[in-house]
Amino acid sequence: MPIDWSNKAVYVAGHHGLVGSALVRALETAGVGRILGWRSSELDLRDRAATFDAINEAKPDVVIDAAARVGGIMANSTYPVDFLQDNMLIQTNVMDAAHQAEVDRFLFLGSSCIYPRHATQPIRESSLMTGPLEPTNQAYAMAKISGIYYIEAFRTQYGKRWISAMPTNLYGPNDNFDLESSHVLPAFIRRFHEAKRDGRDKVTVWGTGAPRREFLHVDDLADACLMLIDMYDSPETINVGWGDDLPIKELAQTVASVVGFDGEIEWDTSKPDGMPRKLLDTSRINALGWHPTIRLRDGVASTYDWYVENYEAA
Ligand code: GDP
């Protein structure tokens, strides 16, 4: 019988972020009993005692951990201490507190950057830990890999029905549009939008444009997460992706065309390219009956509408 969300209290860690806010929308649509969440100003998840107090008092049935220090290629390679430390602290505190509060179902979210730089493409879950990582996001990846193993450890040592899932590159409303720390898709939206607004005829972006990336709309991810909590109970992490990728150059053309910027796109090759390719093999989640539905151009268009409406806040 499918899960009855109406009698569940779900704590979404990071509920105001890109992923967390999509989870809240999906849970509300599913008729969830209660959603719990604290903004980082109310609860700093790096603070172990405060995290224990909050989760123990709330006693959720389900925890979805979408709280993390995230960032694009520059932020990740410039601040490795912050990325490793904050993510290790957040995930360890949330999981330990959930264990003490006897949380039944826990979903830990990572990212496709946990896989080796030279993993065979599309990347299967089994390639985890089979080779060196991509240096530009190593700190974040190391923390997330520890998180996956921590979930496994709770299963082994305490028989918990806890799981982890690895989404591909995500985008959608409530993304980070700060050009220093954002990922490529929101950066393109902002760069092309501001160039068009200011009447500039050239935009400079990073790298060669040759790397290939896969993009999944967060609403598709949120849908997958709810299905996994319902149907998936295995120690092995599970990939969540669109199933196809494209060169960054093509992404630039797609975003420019959605935004209506028709000037020149210049590539600053002094900036890093990162992983040459990062396409997830999604056969395992597809076999559970889940398939994404939001096509890239449509997803970029709706995200762009959101960005324009929320320009000041974003
Ligand atoms: P990654 O998937 O971890 O490499 O993270 P990003 O989303 O930050 O970058 C993906 C690719 O887009 C890399 O090859 C970047 O060099 C390229 N890229 C091009 N322009 C930009 C930009 O303005 N911002 C970011 N973050 N990446 C860019």
Side-chain angles (χ1 to χ4, degrees):
M1 209 172 67
I3 199 166
D4 178 5
W5 288 102
S6 69
N7 60 17
K8 297 274 179 288
V10 182
Y11 168 39
V12 180
H15 71 301
H16 269 268
L18 170 68
V19 174
S21 59
L23 286 163
V24 168
R25 287 193 295 277
L27 285 162
E28 280 169 349
T29 305
V32 71
R34 205 152 52 100
I35 296 174
L36 309 160
W38 298 275
R39 301 203 67 140
S40 51
S41 53
E42 296 162 336
L43 172 63
D44 182 347
L45 294 170
R46 296 169 301 184
D47 180 337
R48 190 164 171 88
T51 304
F52 268 68
D53 286 349
I55 295 181
N56 261 316
E57 201 186 307
K59 291 245 177 292
D61 305 296
V62 178
V63 173
I64 308 178
D65 185 5
R69 175 183 282 269
V70 294
I73 193 161
M74 287 304 271
N76 219 309
S77 44
T78 315
Y79 305 106
V81 171
D82 297 352
F83 275 79
L84 190 54
Q85 185 179 72
D86 286 359
N87 288 312
M88 291 290 289
L89 287 172
I90 292 169
Q91 71 202 27
T92 309
N93 290 342
V94 174
M95 286 188 216
D96 288 346
H99 174 52
Q100 194 176 74
E102 297 180 351
V103 169
D104 176 37
R105 295 290 273 160
F106 192 115
L107 170 61
F108 173 68
L109 291 168
S111 128
S112 57
C113 70
I114 57 156
Y115 292 114
R117 175 175 163 84
H118 295 297
T120 307
Q121 307 277 334
I123 310 172
R124 302 177 64 158
E125 291 88 348
S126 55
S127 67
L128 184 61
M129 298 284 285
T130 57
L133 297 165
E134 156 61 36
T136 54
N137 51 36
Q138 182 150 240
Y140 181 77
M142 283 289 197
K144 288 292 179 185
I145 291 170
S146 303
I148 297 171
Y149 281 90
Y150 210 37
I151 288 281
E152 265 195 63
F154 273 107
R155 295 182 66 96
T156 307
Q157 192 171 330
Y158 296 110
K160 289 277 178 195
R161 301 191 311 134
W162 290 9
I163 56 172
S164 67
M166 296 303 120
T168 190
N169 295 42
L170 301 165
Y171 70 97
N174 296 308
D175 207 342
N176 167 18
F177 291 85
D178 172 69
L179 293 175
E180 291 304 311
S181 59
S182 76
H183 282 105
V184 61
L185 198 153
F188 281 175
I189 289 183
R190 177 164 180 183
R191 288 187 196 283
F192 297 139
H193 173 77
E194 291 180 350
K196 185 181 127 185
R197 180 197 63 192
D198 302 343
R200 277 182 281 127
D201 54 13
K202 189 162 90 178
V203 165
T204 305
V205 297
W206 301 348
T208 62
R212 299 180 69 91
R213 291 288 183 276
E214 175 190 24
F215 297 93
L216 182 73
H217 193 280
V218 269
D219 287 339
D220 273 333
L221 171 72
D223 187 49
C225 289
L226 268 50
M227 181 280 290
L228 289 171
I229 291 167
D230 195 9
M231 296 178 53
Y232 190 70
D233 187 20
S234 159
E236 196 177 8
T237 196
I238 186 160
N239 290 340
V240 190
W242 174 257
D244 197 10
D245 62 357
L246 78 173
I248 294 296
K249 239 179 205 154
E250 245 180 81
L251 175 75
Q253 285 155 3
T254 303
V255 178
S257 125
V258 166
V259 170
F261 169 76
D262 49 19
E264 186 195 339
I265 301 172
E266 180 186 63
W267 296 87
D268 174 1
T269 53
S270 72
K271 294 283 196 304
D273 265 348
M275 283 271 273
R277 196 174 183 202
K278 205 163 41 166
L279 174 65
L280 292 181
D281 182 317
T282 53
S283 28
R284 289 180 64 238
I285 192 165
N286 296 151
L288 293 174
W290 177 85
H291 296 273
T293 59
I294 305 169
R295 305 183 74 85
L296 183 64
R297 201 188 163 88
D298 298 337
V300 169
S302 59
T303 305
Y304 180 52
D305 289 345
W306 180 91
Y307 176 71
V308 170
E309 268 167 42
N310 296 274
Y311 184 75
E312 291 308 322

